[in-house]
Amino acid sequence: MADAGLGALVIAGRGVISQYGYLEYVTGWCPIIRLGYAVLVPGREPVMVMPTASDAYYAREATGFSDVRVGGQGDVISDHDGVPEGVAAVLAEHGVARGRVGVVGLQHIIAAYDFDALRAAAPEAEFTDATAMISELKAVKTADEVREVLRSGEIADAGMRVVMDR
């Protein structure tokens, strides 16, 4: 983050294939359906902003983080749910709402409406896509992770053999 000149990272995720991995990787948890965020400021525990009280409860249980906030009602037909404003409030509380803020998932996870709401709530922040930063970290695998990937391939191969036999 320091090398990129970022005062904070905002990491988005939801339980949709291709949209949960960054948040799950960094925090160990991601909401099942709705969009949730983690805000990372160097030297501080991550703060999560969730759309419902139940999402916040499960995030707190899974991560052990002490600061997990509810930013909305989780109503998918609501005009406004307050989660982006909750993220902006965290940035302001940590004194980084006037600097460069990296957003992980900016191009493919965060809805345009949410990003517009975030920019409106933190108008002095300069938001930049930081997805590649976390992608590079995720690409590095431990020996245990490599073994699990290979094991997953073996399971898939076994399943395909059963299908072909039938």
Side-chain angles (χ1 to χ4, degrees):
M1 288 174 58
D3 290 347
L6 301 175
L9 275 180
V10 173
I11 302 170
R14 76 173 100 225
V16 175
I17 290 178
S18 83
Q19 296 188 1
Y20 69 88
Y22 301 108
L23 188 60
E24 175 80 24
Y25 178 79
V26 172
T27 69
W29 190 82
C30 186
I32 301 295
I33 298 171
R34 295 172 284 271
L35 186 62
Y37 295 92
V39 180
L40 278 67
V41 176
R44 302 200 178 172
E45 178 182 87
V47 177
M48 296 186 79
V49 182
M50 296 289 113
T52 67
S54 63
D55 288 319
Y57 170 82
Y58 288 114
R60 202 173 293 110
E61 290 293 309
T63 65
F65 297 156
S66 59
D67 195 350
V68 179
R69 304 176 186 191
V70 179
Q73 312 122 14
D75 185 349
V76 294
I77 48 179
S78 106
D79 206 17
H80 172 73
D81 65 10
V83 177
E85 289 78 8
V87 169
V90 173
L91 295 173
E93 288 170 26
H94 292 302
V96 293
R98 295 178 182 206
R100 279 178 48 91
V101 175
V103 181
V104 178
L106 181 60
Q107 299 297 317
H108 69 289
I109 298 174
I110 299 174
Y113 177 85
D114 281 3
F115 187 55
D116 288 345
L118 179 59
R119 286 189 306 185
E124 296 182 54
E126 177 192 344
F127 294 102
T128 185
D129 192 350
T131 306
M133 181 183 302
I134 301 300
S135 291
E136 289 174 19
L137 293 174
K138 282 181 65 184
V140 177
K141 302 297 180 207
T142 66
D144 285 344
E145 289 171 317
V146 170
R147 277 192 294 279
E148 287 301 311
V149 168
L150 292 172
R151 191 168 84 85
S152 295
E154 291 168 1
I155 292 168
D157 286 346
M160 289 304 295
R161 282 192 296 275
V162 169
V163 168
M164 297 302 289
D165 289 346
R166 293 184 182 219

